[in-house]
Amino acid sequence: MAASNGSVTTSLVGHSRPSGALQLKSSSNKPNPLPFVALKTGLCYDVRMRYHAKVVNSQSDYTDPHPEDPRRTYRIYKALSDAGLVSQKGASGNADIESELMQPIPAREATEEEVTLTHSKEHWDFIRSTAAMSNVQLLDETRDGDSVYFNNDSFFCAKLSCGGVIDTCKAVVEQKVKNAMAVVRPPGHHAEPCKPAGFCMFNNVAVASRVILKEYPEQVKKILILDWDIHHGNGTQRAFYSDPNVLYISLHRHDGGKFYPGTPFGDYDKCGEGPGEGRNVNIPWPKAGMRDGDYIYAFQRVVMPIALEFNPDLVILSSGFDAAPGDELGGCFVTPAAYGHMTHMLKSLASGKLAVVLEGGYNLDSIATSALGVVKVLIGDAPLPLTNMYAQHEAVQTVDNVIKMQAQYWRCMKIGRTIKDLPGAPAAERLHDVIRRYQAVQLFTSFSMTALPIFRDRVSRSFEDQVLCTPGFQSTKTIVVIVHDPPQFWAEPDSVTGEISLHETYMLDCCRKYVQWAYERGYGVVDINAPEHYTDQDDEGLNPQAAIQDLCIYVWDNYLELSDAKNFAFISVGDASAGVVYLLGHREVRSRMRTSITFAGKQPLHPIMPIMDEFIIDWYYKNSRVYSYDSATSAGADGGGSGFGAGGNGNSSSDRSSGKGPKKKLGNVIKTEIENINELMNGKFEEVTELLEGELEDSDSESEGEIVQVPERKRVKTQESS
Amino acid sequence: MAASNGSVTTSLVGHSRPSGALQLKSSSNKPNPLPFVALKTGLCYDVRMRYHAKVVNSQSDYTDPHPEDPRRTYRIYKALSDAGLVSQKGASGNADIESELMQPIPAREATEEEVTLTHSKEHWDFIRSTAAMSNVQLLDETRDGDSVYFNNDSFFCAKLSCGGVIDTCKAVVEQKVKNAMAVVRPPGHHAEPCKPAGFCMFNNVAVASRVILKEYPEQVKKILILDWDIHHGNGTQRAFYSDPNVLYISLHRHDGGKFYPGTPFGDYDKCGEGPGEGRNVNIPWPKAGMRDGDYIYAFQRVVMPIALEFNPDLVILSSGFDAAPGDELGGCFVTPAAYGHMTHMLKSLASGKLAVVLEGGYNLDSIATSALGVVKVLIGDAPLPLTNMYAQHEAVQTVDNVIKMQAQYWRCMKIGRTIKDLPGAPAAERLHDVIRRYQAVQLFTSFSMTALPIFRDRVSRSFEDQVLCTPGFQSTKTIVVIVHDPPQFWAEPDSVTGEISLHETYMLDCCRKYVQWAYERGYGVVDINAPEHYTDQDDEGLNPQAAIQDLCIYVWDNYLELSDAKNFAFISVGDASAGVVYLLGHREVRSRMRTSITFAGKQPLHPIMPIMDEFIIDWYYKNSRVYSYDSATSAGADGGGSGFGAGGNGNSSSDRSSGKGPKKKLGNVIKTEIENINELMNGKFEEVTELLEGELEDSDSESEGEIVQVPERKRVKTQESS
């Protein structure tokens, strides 16, 4: 191996000369069959970049050093060295790197001409001016700038970092190396054409891209910049926002625009402009805690399909490692194995021409191990096996948004989406209006139910038929009130066009089964539909939850309370239960209300706010049943709360504890494994109707309000059933 | 380079000894940092495998040699040699392979013990018996077998091929090589445990897998077998159909079960059984002509997600090259670049432990260039850039079927599909019944239209409200008949669960706009709805096309013909036009029919069959307008008819030529670029109603049948509009 390595070095030193590849062939007695394989991976590292450091101003600068720490590049270099990829000989910098597997790429200062291809002259001049500033001035600039610091060496280091990246990309393009890693600082991707920001002075990757496009017009016509730094590369996006020849793809935390740099510029709907429209892809994670499965999913679904369709001549990777576990700023968990897999995928592009450039990453151990994972794969090692490869709920939704947005620009993203924007199309009617009308017709035909007049202060098609009742319900002794979300639908969209055919679409409406039961028992029935969305004249929706709360109060005040009925039972389905719970808290209903059944399914549970009656909480806990889907008991969640399946529960898991202590406000919660709410209503039909009949019949023999003994028995029942 | 190569050879000869990797470290003065990178790619090749050949029986055996030709392995070896990956020195076989980049792996005969881990003793005995057969016996066996031939060397070669594959896999597992290619014949993947088939005697890959699982219980617990031979590997699938530790994934032509081996066993719904259920994935292409984009799409959407979730310890690639361009049996177009990309993706699994085994592939040039593409990537070259990366319509649908089927076994396939099988769920109603009821209510409310009594010989909910008419239409002078498919829907299913919310679902029904127009002009209106599917008692659908044809005839015979109306205009929407065209051909309608407008959109056009009236064809061509979507003029189809966008047209392109010669039967076809049929109806509203009014009014002043001059003028109009 030693001999082999030695000789490989020999053969590759030749490569550090411009015509290396050619020389190699001529110097060899037969042509090299796989020149790419014979090449080493390049490494650009220069100890002098550590001179850029925050001017020490206070004790805290020692105790709590700035995250963009001069040791960052050294720690990565040391990790490569400890792994035996380079020999460390004093680690005093690039000059004496000796490696059997890697090819040193010397860093040099970028020139004004190069830098100003991307940045304004003013920008250049300002950064240059920092070299001569007094400490006071430096501290002022540091204070006033957008999280960037300066000392008198910053200008030099920024040029060195930028020049190193330029030559790293050149070495890759000229095939002096098969691919390369530039371990440089200060980073660059936040630096905008006219202003430094986010620890960045010159946008190394942007400057290098411009230089390459200018100096290698034949070899490099299209560049892909992939940016997996946890922060959005606002500077890079800005630099190429209207350039069709540079595709910028960024995966980053966006958190609805609250994550640094904290503007909407990093959102998924920012796709470039003018000739560059469709050449910008943002994959904006909504939260911390993103993991391997999420990144691999985004690569499989968006990054690689688009990259293959774009077919670049060079790939530059803006490689921050602040998505790695241990990085406090990033708060994510991308392992070295995943960095390796993503690097491996990118190696398949542009005939392997890949230049990796360090951006952010502030946990010194994390960036070292992450960089090592990347470099090993660059050299040719296989990426490590991945485990727990599940995309989280939020990742799937984010990627879906990106796909929908990019579908207008990339054919590979168009699959399943040939019809766009139909909501704007002629004669489009919201299906929930269509459906409710149909239900009204059915309920009239089957049970002669008719609409109850409801006074409205505004107009919405969604109000029509919203409350339906059996004839003369007000004079019945018992009234069952069913408050429900619109029925559930399920369809099989065409895999190519996304169109939905009627015979592959199903409506599930289990409420009618309960209406029929109540109707046949001679109870009065009131059916209240709670749209998720109101079709308004101006199509500005009401707040659905407020709307159903008002409606329940309205129906109680104007009809139910005034009715002759002695016994009420409420059945709530889905999110509509918010209305019933609200009613219980805001009106005195205990004396006539016998029981409240809630099929919550996956919907979050709503606690009672006892405005009228403090005993209502206890009453509710004793006289209710709240069937709630519990992922923990369900098959889907074997990967723990982590998988997207479990993610499906939303954030309501805290509401899910069975009724104890303060949770009594949620009622008597019964966990169920049945995911689908219609299956749930169907499965519990006998159990629930038996209970209701018990309640509503018993109550006749009881004087009003005497409810203590009833719930006792009911508790027993529920224990069995839960 | 020569030196380096030389030394690499030195260092790696060590690897051909079992403990090579260890020896390397000890023999080197410092540990090898990346042992995997230091390893060569293994190559198993043995000239003796050419001894297996078809017994020459007739002249045709010379002129038209059997596709499984002894030269197959040599031609691949020669291609590697010509490319400089191995030195050919007489090419007299494995013994004297000399290579700086590849590690020879000697082939040896598989033992009975090894082979019978997979095959029955009877199977072994039978193959062995061929060694002693007379030519007559051999020819009989060849004739009687399932496309497999024998000579007296077949047994020896089959053992050699099988043994070579076993040792190739062992070399990979023991990391004597980083990965390997076994250029062997006879192939194996059709050989079932108890019978030879499809040019295969012993199932090399299956035998090797069993041996590995048995001899390396610690290192290898799970094996992925990826089979991209254009034929389904029925033998391999059978061997592991109930084995949870071997995941078999096959991409192959299935052609609805008509492609060799011609059984349903290769379909996407065959997922394994017992403990092996969910460990078998078939991706069955429906036709010839599959291309790079289709294979890469399948890899991105199914193969890699499932493979990463399975996380194998070893990957064995059953690598037939009969999907390559030029292979007459395969008829597909997978380029060496695509083979390289797929190989590159597989290299990311199992820490790079990948053994490639030759299966089929019968064009000697195609298999050579394809194999070269694979081996270069195995050694470490970057895959070549891909172009025209579009998945075809059929590929997308096939992959979608696979995803739906595998969703029950793989979490990564479950995304967007948490609700399964709702059609079976309680209270599910077909939406087309729901919608038609709603339309009836609307048409009654707006135009007091009511259902027309239709005699039926069977019961279907879909019949209710199928034909609606304005009051007293029979006594109006003019009747407009609108025959339409159910309205179109569009929805945004939840990206995680696949559920559809009502407020994200839209119904598009442009017919009512035309009904309103006719109603306001005082015409009689008949609205006929043609479901794509009939909700039957026993839920066995009628044939929709036959049903709408019968219905149109029925309405004509019982109502329209008997009416007082002098003028009829027909408007057909979508596939329902089949009914109108049928009516035109089977009844004498010319005298009162003024014009027929068809909004065909993407639906295939229906030619008139002139049963009653031979002049109807000419009449139809002159008096009709058939708006048909033409992909050629549409933006989506820049990739030619090849992309999935264009594929969306189905196979009806032949129907699309504008009305000339025999195509007059299709009527006066007007190409349109508007993809969506509702946008089409909306866009043409003025144009069409103006024409209709002209026709229906003109006709008053004209005596019946006098149609010559009318069409003349109309031809001019249409020219403008088309």
Side-chain angles (χ1 to χ4, degrees):
Chain A
M1 195 61 201
S4 121
N5 294 334
S7 62
V8 175
T9 313
T10 325
S11 74
L12 281 159
V13 165
H15 281 253
S16 63
R17 289 193 302 277
S19 59
L22 293 169
Q23 280 217 355
L24 174 76
K25 291 185 178 178
S26 53
S27 71
S28 164
N29 47 12
K30 62 166 157 343
N32 172 9
L34 293 177
F36 179 84
V37 174
L39 293 172
K40 285 188 192 176
T41 290
L43 174 65
C44 178
Y45 170 70
D46 191 315
V47 283
R48 293 173 297 168
M49 293 181 194
R50 76 174 61 150
Y51 302 159
H52 167 62
K54 194 162 184 301
V55 173
V56 172
N57 186 29
S58 67
Q59 184 57 29
S60 70
D61 286 337
Y62 292 105
T63 55
D64 176 23
H66 189 281
E68 211 284 273
D69 183 308
R71 293 169 295 178
R72 293 173 62 240
T73 47
Y74 171 69
R75 287 293 294 274
I76 291 175
Y77 176 76
K78 184 170 184 306
L80 303 182
S81 164
D82 293 347
L85 306 186
V86 295
S87 74
Q88 206 189 334
K89 207 200 293 165
S92 53
N94 202 73
D96 58 358
I97 288 182
E98 201 177 80
S99 170
E100 295 138 353
L101 294 161
M102 303 191 76
Q103 170 69 34
I105 297 174
R108 52 92 182 169
E109 298 170 60
T111 67
E112 175 175 355
E113 186 197 358
E114 291 170 325
V115 171
T116 51
L117 287 174
T118 298
H119 295 283
S120 65
K121 179 75 165 61
E122 297 62 35
H123 183 82
W124 167 269
D125 291 339
F126 168 72
I127 303 296
R128 187 180 52 189
S129 70
T130 61
M133 285 182 181
S134 70
N135 277 4
V136 178
Q137 287 174 294
L138 290 168
L139 291 168
D140 291 348
E141 292 297 346
T142 302
R143 187 191 60 240
D144 303 341
D146 170 3
S147 31
V148 58
Y149 63 74
F150 308 96
N151 68 3
N152 293 134
D153 296 314
S154 298
F155 177 55
F156 170 73
C157 290
K159 286 186 296 179
L160 209 53
S161 179
C162 193
V165 172
I166 293 170
D167 283 3
T168 300
C169 293
K170 285 186 174 182
V172 170
V173 171
E174 291 177 5
Q175 299 191 284
K176 296 176 183 174
V177 295
K178 63 178 172 185
N179 49 40
M181 168 102 193
V183 182
V184 297
R185 68 177 285 273
H189 74 149
H190 292 307
E192 303 233 348
C194 301
K195 88 184 232 297
F199 317 156
C200 305
M201 277 168 278
F202 299 139
N203 193 318
N204 306 324
V205 167
V207 171
S209 301
R210 285 262 171 257
V211 171
I212 295 294
L213 288 171
K214 177 159 169 281
E215 297 187 16
Y216 305 87
E218 287 315 307
Q219 301 99 301
V220 182
K221 293 181 167 51
K222 290 183 293 180
I223 295 178
L224 164 63
I225 298 174
L226 191 287
D227 185 338
W228 66 35
D229 186 285
I230 198 64
H231 301 96
H232 178 240
N234 55 294
T236 315
Q237 173 166 310
R238 183 93 56 199
F240 302 105
Y241 205 55
S242 56
D243 186 333
N245 303 315
V246 178
L247 169 61
Y248 178 71
I249 304 180
S250 175
L251 302 97
H252 53 269
R253 269 183 70 184
H254 186 60
D255 298 23
K258 288 190 285 304
F259 200 71
Y260 187 87
T263 74
F265 199 47
D267 210 351
Y268 68 88
D269 59 352
K270 303 302 180 294
C271 303
E273 66 191 3
E277 187 177 357
R279 290 288 190 263
N280 196 83
V281 179
N282 284 323
I283 302 172
W285 301 133
K287 65 174 190 67
M290 306 312 284
R291 299 190 319 265
D292 293 0
D294 306 314
Y295 276 79
I296 299 298
Y297 181 75
F299 262 67
Q300 290 170 334
R301 282 303 182 86
V302 173
V303 175
M304 292 312 292
I306 288 182
L308 282 166
E309 188 171 333
F310 180 64
N311 193 18
D313 306 308
L314 171 67
V315 179
I316 305 179
L317 174 55
S318 265
S319 178
F321 293 116
D322 36 14
D327 190 288
E328 292 181 1
L329 293 186
C332 290
F333 307 99
V334 179
T335 66
Y339 281 119
H341 276 268
M342 293 190 286
T343 306
H344 183 86
M345 291 190 230
L346 295 172
K347 277 174 66 184
S348 70
L349 302 165
S351 306
K353 295 200 191 65
L354 172 61
V356 184
V357 177
L358 181 65
E359 295 283 2
Y362 308 101
N363 176 311
L364 296 174
D365 297 322
S366 305
I367 61 175
T369 53
S370 304
L372 184 60
V374 167
V375 171
K376 281 184 170 181
V377 171
L378 286 179
I379 293 173
D381 214 6
L384 301 168
L386 289 164
T387 52
N388 191 28
M389 275 296 303
Y390 305 130
Q392 300 176 76
H393 191 155
E394 297 84 349
V396 173
Q397 283 177 329
T398 303
V399 167
D400 194 60
N401 290 337
V402 176
I403 290 171
K404 287 168 191 164
M405 186 55 56
Q406 296 296 332
Q408 43 190 327
Y409 307 116
W410 302 98
R411 191 160 185 166
C412 58
M413 296 289 102
K414 203 179 170 212
I415 291 170
R417 313 203 54 78
T418 48
I419 304 192
K420 289 196 307 291
D421 222 24
L422 238 56
E429 285 189 83
R430 277 232 162 68
L431 200 57
H432 66 74
D433 301 330
V434 173
I435 295 307
R436 186 54 179 170
R437 185 83 196 96
Y438 169 81
Q439 290 179 310
V441 172
Q442 294 307 95
L443 292 175
F444 175 75
T445 321
S446 314
F447 317 114
S448 13
M449 289 175 76
T450 51
L452 207 55
I454 308 283
F455 167 77
R456 309 282 190 180
D457 56 1
R458 65 198 300 192
V459 180
S460 166
R461 283 210 52 192
S462 313
F463 291 152
E464 294 168 19
D465 310 308
Q466 197 175 5
V467 181
L468 302 169
C469 58
T470 49
F473 74 98
Q474 279 164 296
S475 47
T476 56
K477 198 168 97 260
T478 302
I479 296 178
V480 174
V481 183
I482 302 180
V483 188
H484 57 83
D485 292 344
Q488 211 177 16
F489 282 77
W490 187 85
E492 203 84 88
D494 181 279
S495 55
V496 175
T497 65
E499 277 169 311
I500 288 179
S501 82
L502 289 174
H503 74 271
E504 286 295 357
T505 306
Y506 296 84
M507 172 172 93
L508 294 114
D509 182 5
C510 215
C511 290
R512 203 189 305 167
K513 191 170 177 179
Y514 285 81
V515 172
Q516 176 156 14
W517 158 80
Y519 179 80
E520 286 166 355
R521 310 244 351 148
Y523 303 148
V525 182
V526 177
D527 177 288
I528 303 178
N529 181 57
E532 304 162 65
H533 176 106
Y534 288 81
T535 307
D536 219 337
Q537 276 180 311
D538 52 15
D539 208 31
E540 273 175 21
L542 291 158
N543 166 350
Q545 183 157 330
I548 188 60
Q549 290 172 344
D550 297 347
L551 186 59
C552 287
I553 294 289
Y554 181 95
V555 171
W556 175 264
D557 293 346
N558 294 280
Y559 296 99
L560 300 178
E561 185 164 32
L562 310 176
S563 73
D564 311 340
K566 284 200 169 49
N567 314 317
F568 290 106
F570 276 65
I571 300 175
S572 358
V573 180
D575 216 24
S577 62
V580 175
V581 173
Y582 186 84
L583 171 63
L584 293 174
H586 290 69
R587 292 294 184 270
E588 201 298 297
V589 296
R590 267 202 300 148
S591 56
R592 299 159 76 188
M593 174 94 68
R594 295 290 160 247
T595 183
S596 165
I597 305 292
T598 303
F599 296 102
K602 285 181 167 182
Q603 298 295 338
L605 305 183
H606 301 282
I608 281 197
M609 297 301 157
I611 307 301
M612 298 293 295
D613 168 8
E614 62 189 32
F615 297 106
I616 190 69
I617 294 176
D618 195 54
W619 177 90
Y620 185 53
Y621 178 54
K622 288 191 179 143
N623 293 275
S624 69
R625 279 196 193 182
V626 181
Y627 294 99
S628 172
Y629 171 69
D630 179 21
S631 67
T633 54
S634 82
D638 51 310
S642 53
F644 84 85
N649 299 323
N651 310 329
S652 55
S653 49
S654 59
D655 304 344
R656 299 203 174 289
S657 69
S658 60
K660 290 185 188 49
K663 291 301 176 192
K664 280 190 168 187
K665 287 184 176 175
L666 297 175
N668 169 22
V669 177
I670 299 169
K671 301 283 178 69
T672 167
E673 296 180 25
I674 304 174
E675 231 174 321
N676 180 279
I677 202 159
N678 276 282
E679 287 167 14
L680 178 63
M681 291 177 75
N682 201 56
K684 300 292 183 187
F685 182 76
E686 277 66 30
E687 178 181 320
V688 166
T689 47
E690 181 208 326
L691 166 70
L692 286 169
E693 288 164 23
E695 282 316 305
L696 297 168
E697 252 83 309
D698 295 348
S699 57
D700 306 351
S701 53
E702 290 156 14
S703 63
E704 292 185 357
E706 192 187 72
I707 52 165
V708 188
Q709 160 224 353
V710 183
E712 281 323 302
R713 200 184 62 267
K714 181 145 72 287
R715 295 298 305 148
V716 183
K717 277 212 211 110
T718 39
Q719 239 92 50
E720 292 157 5
S721 66
S722 58
Chain B
M1 197 60 199
S4 117
N5 294 336
S7 62
V8 176
T9 316
T10 327
S11 73
L12 280 160
V13 165
H15 282 249
S16 65
R17 291 192 300 277
S19 57
L22 293 169
Q23 282 219 352
L24 176 74
K25 292 186 176 178
S26 52
S27 71
S28 164
N29 47 11
K30 60 167 158 335
N32 172 7
L34 294 176
F36 179 84
V37 173
L39 293 171
K40 284 188 192 176
T41 290
L43 174 65
C44 177
Y45 170 71
D46 192 314
V47 285
R48 294 172 297 169
M49 293 180 194
R50 74 174 62 150
Y51 303 159
H52 167 63
K54 194 162 187 296
V55 172
V56 172
N57 185 30
S58 68
Q59 182 59 27
S60 69
D61 286 337
Y62 292 104
T63 55
D64 175 25
H66 189 282
E68 212 285 272
D69 183 310
R71 292 169 295 178
R72 291 174 62 241
T73 46
Y74 170 69
R75 286 294 294 275
I76 291 174
Y77 175 75
K78 184 169 183 306
L80 303 183
S81 163
D82 293 347
L85 306 185
V86 296
S87 74
Q88 205 190 339
K89 210 208 283 173
S92 53
N94 200 75
D96 57 359
I97 286 182
E98 202 176 80
S99 169
E100 296 139 352
L101 294 161
M102 303 192 75
Q103 170 69 37
I105 298 173
R108 51 91 180 170
E109 298 170 58
T111 67
E112 175 176 355
E113 187 196 359
E114 291 169 325
V115 171
T116 51
L117 287 173
T118 298
H119 295 283
S120 66
K121 179 76 164 62
E122 297 64 32
H123 183 81
W124 167 268
D125 291 338
F126 169 74
I127 302 297
R128 187 179 54 191
S129 70
T130 61
M133 284 181 182
S134 70
N135 278 1
V136 178
Q137 287 174 291
L138 290 168
L139 290 168
D140 291 349
E141 292 297 348
T142 302
R143 188 193 58 239
D144 303 341
D146 170 3
S147 27
V148 57
Y149 63 75
F150 307 97
N151 68 3
N152 293 136
D153 297 313
S154 299
F155 177 54
F156 170 73
C157 291
K159 285 187 296 181
L160 209 54
S161 180
C162 193
V165 172
I166 294 171
D167 283 2
T168 300
C169 293
K170 284 188 175 182
V172 170
V173 171
E174 292 177 5
Q175 299 192 284
K176 295 176 182 174
V177 295
K178 64 177 171 185
N179 50 39
M181 166 107 194
V183 183
V184 298
R185 64 175 290 271
H189 73 148
H190 292 307
E192 303 233 349
C194 300
K195 89 185 231 298
F199 318 155
C200 306
M201 277 168 278
F202 298 139
N203 193 318
N204 306 324
V205 166
V207 171
S209 301
R210 285 262 172 257
V211 171
I212 295 294
L213 288 171
K214 177 160 169 282
E215 296 188 16
Y216 304 88
E218 287 316 307
Q219 301 100 301
V220 182
K221 294 180 165 55
K222 290 182 292 182
I223 296 179
L224 164 63
I225 299 176
L226 191 287
D227 186 338
W228 67 35
D229 187 286
I230 198 64
H231 302 96
H232 179 238
N234 54 294
T236 315
Q237 174 166 311
R238 183 94 56 199
F240 302 106
Y241 205 56
S242 56
D243 186 332
N245 303 317
V246 178
L247 169 62
Y248 178 72
I249 303 180
S250 175
L251 302 97
H252 53 270
R253 268 182 72 184
H254 186 62
D255 297 22
K258 286 188 285 304
F259 200 71
Y260 187 87
T263 73
F265 199 47
D267 210 350
Y268 68 87
D269 60 350
K270 304 301 180 296
C271 305
E273 65 190 3
E277 187 178 358
R279 290 287 190 265
N280 197 85
V281 179
N282 285 322
I283 302 172
W285 302 131
K287 64 174 189 70
M290 306 313 284
R291 300 190 319 267
D292 293 0
D294 306 315
Y295 276 79
I296 299 298
Y297 181 75
F299 261 66
Q300 289 171 334
R301 282 301 184 89
V302 173
V303 175
M304 293 311 294
I306 289 182
L308 281 167
E309 187 170 334
F310 181 63
N311 193 18
D313 306 309
L314 171 67
V315 179
I316 305 179
L317 174 55
S318 265
S319 177
F321 292 117
D322 36 14
D327 191 288
E328 293 180 359
L329 292 187
C332 291
F333 307 99
V334 179
T335 66
Y339 280 119
H341 275 270
M342 294 191 285
T343 305
H344 184 87
M345 291 191 228
L346 295 173
K347 277 173 68 182
S348 71
L349 302 166
S351 306
K353 296 200 190 67
L354 172 61
V356 183
V357 177
L358 181 65
E359 297 282 2
Y362 308 101
N363 177 312
L364 296 176
D365 297 322
S366 306
I367 61 175
T369 52
S370 304
L372 184 60
V374 167
V375 172
K376 281 185 171 182
V377 171
L378 286 179
I379 293 173
D381 215 4
L384 302 169
L386 289 165
T387 51
N388 191 26
M389 275 296 303
Y390 304 132
Q392 301 176 73
H393 191 158
E394 297 84 349
V396 172
Q397 283 178 328
T398 302
V399 167
D400 194 59
N401 290 336
V402 175
I403 290 171
K404 287 170 191 164
M405 186 56 54
Q406 297 294 334
Q408 42 190 325
Y409 306 115
W410 302 97
R411 192 160 183 168
C412 58
M413 296 289 104
K414 204 180 170 210
I415 290 169
R417 314 204 53 76
T418 47
I419 303 190
K420 287 195 309 293
D421 220 27
L422 238 56
E429 281 188 88
R430 277 230 163 68
L431 200 56
H432 67 73
D433 301 330
V434 173
I435 295 308
R436 186 54 180 171
R437 184 83 198 97
Y438 170 80
Q439 290 179 308
V441 172
Q442 294 306 95
L443 292 175
F444 174 76
T445 321
S446 315
F447 318 115
S448 19
M449 290 174 77
T450 52
L452 209 54
I454 309 284
F455 168 78
R456 310 283 192 179
D457 56 359
R458 64 197 301 190
V459 180
S460 165
R461 284 208 52 193
S462 314
F463 291 151
E464 294 167 18
D465 309 309
Q466 198 176 6
V467 182
L468 301 169
C469 58
T470 49
F473 74 98
Q474 280 165 296
S475 47
T476 56
K477 196 167 100 267
T478 303
I479 296 178
V480 174
V481 182
I482 301 179
V483 188
H484 58 83
D485 292 346
Q488 207 177 19
F489 282 77
W490 189 83
E492 203 85 88
D494 181 280
S495 55
V496 174
T497 64
E499 276 168 312
I500 287 180
S501 82
L502 290 175
H503 74 272
E504 286 295 359
T505 306
Y506 296 84
M507 172 172 91
L508 293 118
D509 182 5
C510 215
C511 290
R512 203 189 304 167
K513 189 170 178 178
Y514 285 81
V515 172
Q516 175 155 15
W517 159 80
Y519 179 80
E520 287 167 355
R521 312 255 336 157
Y523 305 147
V525 182
V526 176
D527 176 289
I528 303 178
N529 181 57
E532 305 162 65
H533 177 108
Y534 289 80
T535 307
D536 218 339
Q537 277 182 313
D538 51 16
D539 209 33
E540 273 175 21
L542 291 157
N543 166 348
Q545 184 158 329
I548 188 61
Q549 289 173 346
D550 297 348
L551 185 60
C552 286
I553 293 290
Y554 181 96
V555 171
W556 175 265
D557 292 347
N558 294 281
Y559 295 100
L560 300 178
E561 185 165 33
L562 310 177
S563 74
D564 310 339
K566 285 200 171 48
N567 313 317
F568 291 107
F570 276 66
I571 301 174
S572 355
V573 180
D575 217 24
S577 62
V580 174
V581 173
Y582 185 84
L583 170 64
L584 293 173
H586 290 71
R587 292 293 186 272
E588 202 296 298
V589 295
R590 267 202 300 149
S591 55
R592 299 160 76 190
M593 173 95 67
R594 295 289 158 248
T595 183
S596 164
I597 306 291
T598 303
F599 297 102
K602 285 181 168 181
Q603 298 295 338
L605 305 183
H606 301 282
I608 282 196
M609 295 303 158
I611 306 301
M612 297 295 293
D613 168 8
E614 60 189 35
F615 296 106
I616 190 68
I617 293 177
D618 194 55
W619 178 90
Y620 184 52
Y621 179 54
K622 289 193 179 139
N623 295 273
S624 68
R625 279 195 193 180
V626 180
Y627 294 98
S628 173
Y629 172 68
D630 180 22
S631 67
T633 56
S634 82
D638 51 304
S642 52
F644 86 86
N649 299 320
N651 309 329
S652 55
S653 49
S654 59
D655 305 340
R656 298 202 173 288
S657 70
S658 61
K660 291 185 190 49
K663 292 301 181 192
K664 279 189 168 189
K665 288 184 175 176
L666 298 176
N668 169 22
V669 177
I670 298 168
K671 302 282 178 67
T672 167
E673 296 180 27
I674 304 174
E675 226 173 327
N676 179 277
I677 201 157
N678 276 283
E679 288 167 14
L680 179 62
M681 291 179 74
N682 200 55
K684 300 292 180 187
F685 182 76
E686 277 67 29
E687 178 181 321
V688 165
T689 49
E690 182 206 327
L691 167 71
L692 287 170
E693 287 165 22
E695 282 314 304
L696 296 169
E697 253 85 307
D698 294 348
S699 57
D700 307 350
S701 53
E702 291 154 15
S703 64
E704 291 185 358
E706 189 187 15
I707 53 167
V708 187
Q709 160 223 357
V710 181
E712 282 323 300
R713 203 184 61 265
K714 179 146 74 283
R715 297 297 305 147
V716 182
K717 275 213 214 114
T718 38
Q719 238 90 50
E720 293 157 5
S721 66
S722 61

